[in-house]
Amino acid sequence: MDAADWDERYRGSELVWRAEPNRFVEQELAGLEPPGRAVDIAAGEGRNAVWLAERGWEVDAVDFSTVALGKAARLAAERGVRMRTVQADLADWAPPAASYDLALIAYLQVPWPQLAEVLSRAATAVRTGGTLLLVGHDAANLEHGHGGPRDPGVLYTAE
């Protein structure tokens, strides 16, 4: 899907996902201190970015859907927090090296060559001692899980 497809999907309802953060993101990052600079890569409607901002993080929410980023900005305003939205295609977006204390990628389900590029850029963007969190649907979902894409080419494995 391209940005126009995602814009159309995000236009279809108030929120495609809930306004609360993803449970795995919350579990893994709830105790991460002290807050610093964070980037939410493929942020969508901003639920994780807003949650981080509520905890004192200075957050950049990056996505290629302008509709999703508009929803993210509204959610942040409703919750009384500030964050920066960045409209960019991740195939072209390259953050400055060592510019973030946290890089979050939650459910970016793209084929491995594309994911490898995004992961490499995210890792480069994290300062020494920082955190890179990747959350996604595992290949085991096809037989033992629920939700997520049905295309094995975009599912994760530990390898």
Side-chain angles (χ1 to χ4, degrees), residues 39-50:
V39 60
D40 184 355
I41 299 169
E45 297 164 307
R47 66 187 183 147
N48 297 315
V50 169

Side-chain angles (χ1 to χ4, degrees), residues 67-90:
V67 173
L69 291 174
K71 289 181 174 189
R74 283 191 298 279
L75 183 61
E78 288 168 9
R79 299 264 180 96
V81 295
R82 295 182 57 192
M83 67 176 193
R84 187 171 80 109
T85 59
V86 178
Q87 194 278 326
D89 186 327
L90 294 178

Side-chain angles (χ1 to χ4, degrees), residues 49 57 69 103 131-132:
W57 289 85
L69 291 174
T131 300
L132 169 61

Side-chain angles (χ1 to χ4, degrees), residues 19 37 42 51 53-54 63 127-128 131 141:
R37 288 199 70 220
W51 178 79
E54 289 174 324
D63 203 282
R127 294 182 178 118
T128 300
T131 300
N141 265 19

Side-chain angles (χ1 to χ4, degrees), residues 123-137:
T124 300
V126 175
R127 294 182 178 118
T128 300
T131 300
L132 169 61
L133 178 62
L134 174 65
V135 178
H137 290 286

Side-chain angles (χ1 to χ4, degrees), residues 21-35 38-40 48-49 51-52 55 57 101-106 130-135:
N22 172 269
R23 65 184 171 128
F24 301 114
V25 170
E26 187 175 15
Q27 280 176 325
E28 294 298 322
L29 299 179
L32 192 59
E33 296 287 335
V39 60
D40 184 355
N48 297 315
W51 178 79
L52 287 167
R55 273 137 196 82
W57 289 85
D101 301 292
L102 167 65
L104 168 62
I105 304 169
T131 300
L132 169 61
L133 178 62
L134 174 65
V135 178

